[in-house]
Structure formats: C-alpha cells, structure tokens
Amino acid sequence: EDQVTQSPEALRLQEGESSSLNCSYTVSGLRGLFWYRQDPGKGPEFLFTLYSAGEEKEKERLKATLTKKESFLHITAPKPEDSATYLCAAQGGSEKLVFGKGTKLTVNP
Amino acid sequence: NAGVTQTPKFRILKIGQSMTLQCAQDMNHNYMYWYRQDPGMGLKLIYYSVGAGITDKGEVPNGYNVSRSTTEDFPLRLELAAPSQTSVYFCASSYWAHGNTIYFGEGSWLTVV
C-alpha cells in the first residue's frame, strides 16, 4: 500500500532560524512528489513537483529536494508569513495522490 | 478568474439528511476531484472525474455520489448523512491527471449532528 509520512508533525522556529521538513514515501513507481502549502481555513496551494531522485526546486526561501525514499522541504531564514501547514503528496502507478498528514510550521517574530 | 469555487462554505446537517456540495471551475480543466480532510489526517480522495460524463471512485467513496454533466461543474451528493461524514471537503481541478498542478477550492466545512 502506498504511504506518505511527514515529520515532524509540528515545528516552531524563530524568525531567521533555518530548518527542514521531511516527507518519507513508499509508493510503487513514483511519478511525482508534490509539496503544498495550506493556510488555516484555506485549500492547499501548490508549491513544487519533483519527478526524479536528485532533483531540486526553489521558490523564495523554500527549496525542495528528492531522494529515492524521501523528500525534504528546506526553509532558509523563515519569516512569520511562512507559518502554515506544509503537505507532501506522492503519485504512484495508480496516478492518484497519496497525502501525508502535514507539518504545521510556526515562525515566531 | 475565480479558479475553483465551492458552496456552501459551512453547513450543519442532521443525521439522515441529504445535501449537495457544489463545485465549479472556470479553467477548462479536464480533471476534477473531491477530497475530504479530517483533523490530523491527510487528504483522502472521495471521487474524481476525467471529463464530462466520466467519474470514478477514490479511496473513500461510501456514502457519497457524484455526477459530471459539464466540464465546469462537479457536485458531490451526501445521502443519509452520518456523523462520520463530519469533515472539511475540498474540490479541486487540474488539466492533466491528478498530481499535475492541482488547484483547490477554499473548502466546505460540514458538521453532521
């Protein structure tokens, strides 16, 4: 069964304190690994798609990386506006997305 | 450009009642989806559609029905509501299959009492 596990469940950072979120996946025939941002009371917002091990993508203070078993979302010098829940999802051979439970990030000023 | 629009935003149902969650997209997307999100859990796929007239079950379809008569609309019907259907429901759409840049609606909060 395809599975996606995100850690930690919650993370508190001080403004400027860099860190990483982890997404471990077990899917057969990975077609894509996706990162979304979800603000309270809102729908998920697409951030990145990664397709193969070694691939990296960046957007402002965020960088996503992919290995054969994990993906990391690195947050460099975060700001309070980066506070949100970050969702990871994997697409396997069935084409359907399997979502992790998310990491709730809080950045304190 | 409105994107994906869901109505209602909030609804309280009594056990056994039925209702329809409406979803419309104006991006001419082929694929549309309904997910539910329970507290502390990942998004679960209820139903999806690859085009007008074509729908298929996702991971948790029991207690729900869908139809896709037009490209734009994808309503989700709850028959005989049960407390287990208390959740946040998200409609989404994409041009290609599933993962490719899915756009989500704002969500519909449903409570069954």
Side-chain angles (χ1 to χ4, degrees):
Chain A
E1 182 182 338
D2 294 345
Q3 282 190 325
V4 173
T5 303
Q6 291 187 246
S7 61
E9 291 184 8
L11 180 64
R12 285 186 175 273
L13 300 174
Q14 289 298 125
E15 185 172 1
E17 179 186 2
S18 301
S19 188
S20 296
L21 312 183
N22 177 266
C23 171
S24 298
Y25 63 90
T26 307
V27 299
S28 37
L30 181 74
R31 295 190 177 201
L33 189 292
F34 304 86
W35 284 97
Y36 293 85
R37 169 190 172 126
Q38 186 174 23
D39 293 304
K42 301 289 187 181
E45 178 185 348
F46 172 79
L47 291 173
F48 303 109
T49 309
L50 302 166
Y51 294 103
S52 58
E55 189 174 0
E56 299 182 352
K57 289 196 176 170
E58 288 188 67
K59 180 180 180 180
E60 296 181 355
R61 295 176 293 282
L62 300 176
K63 182 170 80 172
T65 62
L66 182 65
T67 73
K68 289 187 177 179
K69 293 184 178 181
E70 296 175 303
S71 178
F72 294 92
L73 186 65
H74 307 278
I75 303 175
T76 303
K79 298 181 178 181
E81 53 262 42
D82 294 321
S83 297
T85 295
Y86 291 86
L87 303 176
C88 169
Q91 182 185 32
S94 71
E95 291 194 321
K96 299 178 183 64
L97 290 186
V98 178
F99 281 85
K101 296 180 181 181
T103 294
K104 183 178 181 180
L105 173 66
T106 304
V107 182
N108 296 314
Chain B
N1 193 344
V4 179
T5 303
Q6 292 181 234
T7 55
K9 182 83 170 178
F10 301 97
R11 183 72 187 267
I12 298 175
L13 275 182
K14 293 184 178 179
I15 294 172
Q17 286 185 323
S18 299
M19 75 159 297
T20 299
L21 297 177
Q22 301 292 341
C23 176
Q25 55 94 3
D26 61 1
M27 297 174 281
N28 201 31
H29 284 167
N30 297 316
Y31 286 73
M32 295 189 74
Y33 318 84
W34 275 105
Y35 287 89
R36 60 177 286 172
Q37 187 177 39
D38 298 317
M41 302 297 290
L43 287 153
K44 302 290 186 184
L45 182 64
I46 305 171
Y47 270 96
Y48 68 100
S49 168
V50 304
I54 306 169
T55 62
D56 207 348
K57 296 178 181 179
E59 187 180 356
V60 290
N62 291 343
Y64 307 95
N65 277 301
V66 294
S67 60
R68 183 101 181 265
S69 57
T70 66
T71 301
E72 294 78 19
D73 299 301
F74 191 41
L76 178 71
R77 178 121 180 116
L78 282 73
E79 304 281 2
L80 299 175
S84 60
Q85 293 178 303
T86 294
S87 189
V88 183
Y89 292 85
F90 289 100
C91 180
S93 72
S94 65
Y95 191 73
W96 298 114
H98 296 276
N100 178 265
T101 315
I102 290 184
Y103 294 88
F104 285 85
E106 297 275 281
S108 295
W109 272 253
L110 176 67
T111 302
V112 182
V113 297

